[in-house]
Each structure stands twice: as C-alpha cells, then as structure tokens.
Amino acid sequence: MPSAVRGRHGLDAHQLSPWYFPSAAAYREKLEGAGFSVKEIRIVPRPTALPTSIEPWLDTFAQSFFGALPQPNRSSARAEVADLLRPVLMDETGTWIADYVRLRFRATRAE
C-alpha cells in the first residue's frame, strides 16, 4: 500500500509489512555473512500481466495492510491504491502489469 494511503489511514507500514525485498548487494552480504561464496547474483525483472484488475491482486497480496483497517474503510483505501497505481502499472490496452522481480543467485558453501 503506498505511503500516501497508509498515512491517511494511520497505518504503520513497517509493522504491517510481511515482505522483504533486499537488493542484490544486501542479499549478497547476507549470504556471505552466513558462510557462502556468491558466484552470481542479480535482480531479474519479471513483469506479469494480471488476468483481472489490480483489486483482486491487492486483496490477495496486501491483506495485511487492508485487514488492519476498519471494514468500512477497506474499499475506499483499495480504490485509492488502485488510482495511484493505474498510471504506473496499467498499460495502454488497460491491462494491469504486476512489476514482479526475481532475485537469482548461485552460491556455494565457503570452505
């Protein structure tokens, strides 16, 4: 949920977020700190067309944010988020594109 919407609804995003999206450099540091030798690491963009609008995606993946709101406020907050995301995640044909990425790496246990 964008910070603009969270703030209007008094939500603490850090407390509610179930996600962890490290950079390749941050994950390399974690792997090496755990005794691995990183051979390759990269972030791979994976834009994915959604079969529906963004709202069902939000219902599934942003439930921790919307569930923290009183029931009467959830629909309007979801609509606010969709409005903010539309210019960024909807293409010219009206298809919503999730901006997924993958973190791929190859590492071996350091000896």
Side-chain angles (χ1 to χ4, degrees):
M1 180 184 295
S3 59
V5 177
R6 288 189 308 260
R8 280 195 289 279
H9 292 276
L11 298 177
D12 178 355
H14 297 292
Q15 182 182 21
L16 297 172
S17 180
W19 303 317
Y20 173 61
F21 298 114
S23 66
Y27 209 75
R28 173 187 292 274
E29 186 176 318
K30 284 188 174 289
L31 287 165
E32 290 173 347
F36 288 88
S37 174
V38 178
K39 308 298 183 199
E40 177 184 0
I41 190 165
R42 61 192 167 109
I43 300 288
V44 180
R46 190 177 166 266
T48 303
L50 300 178
T52 63
S53 67
I54 195 74
E55 286 85 357
W57 187 95
L58 291 170
D59 288 341
T60 300
F61 294 103
Q63 179 56 35
S64 62
F65 298 113
F66 294 111
L69 295 172
Q71 184 64 39
N73 298 13
R74 292 178 189 170
S75 294
S76 63
R78 189 177 70 177
E80 283 181 71
V81 171
D83 287 344
L84 289 170
L85 294 176
R86 188 170 284 105
V88 179
L89 298 181
M90 183 184 277
D91 72 10
E92 66 280 354
T93 69
T95 301
W96 284 92
I97 309 292
D99 57 348
Y100 290 125
V101 296
R102 289 185 183 215
L103 174 65
R104 290 192 175 161
F105 63 90
R106 189 168 51 95
T108 56
R109 191 76 160 143
E111 295 180 27

